[in-house]
Amino acid sequence: MQQSSFDDLRADVARRAEAALEALLSPQAQPGELARPARLIEAMRYAMLGGGKRLRPALVVAAARMFGAEGDGPLAAGLAIECVHGYSLIHDDLPAMDDDDLRRGRPTIHRAFDEATAILAGDALQTLAFETLASDRVHADPAVRVELVVTLARAAGLGGMAGGQMLDLAAEGRFGGAALVDADISRMQAMKTGALIEAAVEMGAIVGGAGSRARQALRRYARALGEAFQVADDLLDAEGAAAVVGKKTGKDAAAGKATLVAVHGVAGARRRLETLTEEATGALSGFGDEAEPLRSAARFVAARDR
Amino acid sequence: MQQSSFDDLRADVARRAEAALEALLSPQAQPGELARPARLIEAMRYAMLGGGKRLRPALVVAAARMFGAEGDGPLAAGLAIECVHGYSLIHDDLPAMDDDDLRRGRPTIHRAFDEATAILAGDALQTLAFETLASDRVHADPAVRVELVVTLARAAGLGGMAGGQMLDLAAEGRFGGAALVDADISRMQAMKTGALIEAAVEMGAIVGGAGSRARQALRRYARALGEAFQVADDLLDAEGAAAVVGKKTGKDAAAGKATLVAVHGVAGARRRLETLTEEATGALSGFGDEAEPLRSAARFVAARDR
């Protein structure tokens, strides 16, 4: 099925992801497991089920489909990245980190459960991500699976998402140190948010079996998309209504956090978002209709209101 | 080199592991990484370098060597499990978890740095474990590497180590619920500590290319070894001097924690430890001299004083 609108594809992926996550996060112990402690699996289910745009799984599926890969393999790879995304939200919300009480309009995990459960739920979600990605549901060829594991790990680890969160905390000045300049902000955001968005597209290309030229074009696309996502996020924080966004807004300014909006103002950030959207779609100029969902994804990311 | 004493092999592995971890935790950003934030990598190095018995890497190397696998592959697999072990110690020590100030005679990570850094250092160590395990330094065959990833993930996740820590917190009564009985304590300990010890032996068998009968025997060995390790740990907590053990002792009793020592007394726990050591060595009866290090490992675990 060829879908030209990314949002249609995303809605379809979201439905399939929900069912697949329901199975992955079964309260029943799986073969080789002694038990799944009730409170832990409950917290993991609370975090992962019943919501979320499933943007990252949709990007994996959309990129894989460009190369003819359909079926549940790309979706399973997408679930792995969604578990990493979910773990990072749980840990970022902790009192010692961003100290957030609200996420998608509901109490955060450490508020709905407790801090220890939140830490362990995040830890176990990261583990589950790599277990899922290494399983033969993702792809028959183990060489493809190890490449996916390495790609996700690089995007999530100290040189990617976790490192970006560390730089973000440092940007608040909590460890001392000088204010961030433009280049530092871009790098921090590229690591914290961009790396996982980029990895989603890259993993789609890997699981779809893309050639090296196609992968390079997709990498250019993904880099622009990842930055566009972060700029849109900063604009949402600066302009969005908490009721619509589903979490506290205006936090960045209150925390004196270095964002592109703080440095260049709302109008400057809007211009940057337009440039990035054009860069993203421009990187796909060598592809035909099969790239329409990803072109649409760039517009989706720029226009999202939550 | 055939080594009959596990402690000689362990000391040798510890030296090689130190050098390999030094490289793995380089402050320099690696290819594909935008940066390695200084404070984060410093915390990870503080946690992982300059100490530790390296019991788990030594078990991987000892088991792999039984099947003729030498070189750096088994060591690299051992480092992955050591990173998971290290991440679990950092997170278990957090104020919201066991709230420990001292580990191996030094301030714990959240005391030496801060809580946010400790959470992120643990997170990034888990990621690094899977990145390392999926790399071709471990084994040339990707099928072996994905099997290792799945084995480690199952041992570390919600049905293993993380789940066991959750049950351990529940055993303190912090979420309400009834006291643990004997079978619950054994299961909790099998998950919290045993699973990773078992995985070390299993991963050695996988990376060494053991056949299915050898793997079954090693699995029996590893199960007894894992439980012996936990009983020895409980005895250390009940009897050891903090100065020697390098962390606070007597904590379990103070916390009213359900352990085999609490239920059966010191003498009962000592008898159980002897039985388990015999079970472990008995499982190796079909092997010759090549299993001497693992036999020695069972005695090492039973006799350790820290």
Side-chain angles (χ1 to χ4, degrees), chain B residues 160-193:
Chain B
M161 185 186 73
Q165 171 68 2
M166 189 74 204
L167 292 178
D168 199 18
L169 296 174
E172 289 173 10
R174 68 163 83 182
F175 312 124
L180 293 193
V181 298
D182 218 15
D184 297 331
I185 299 172
S186 293
R187 190 173 64 169
M188 177 267 282
Q189 294 186 338
M191 288 167 70
K192 184 182 175 179
T193 313

Side-chain angles (χ1 to χ4, degrees), chain A residues 192-215:
Chain A
K192 185 181 175 181
T193 313
L196 219 55
I197 302 272
E198 287 181 46
V201 177
E202 177 90 8
M203 287 164 66
I206 293 168
V207 78
S212 71
R213 279 191 62 176
R215 277 176 69 166

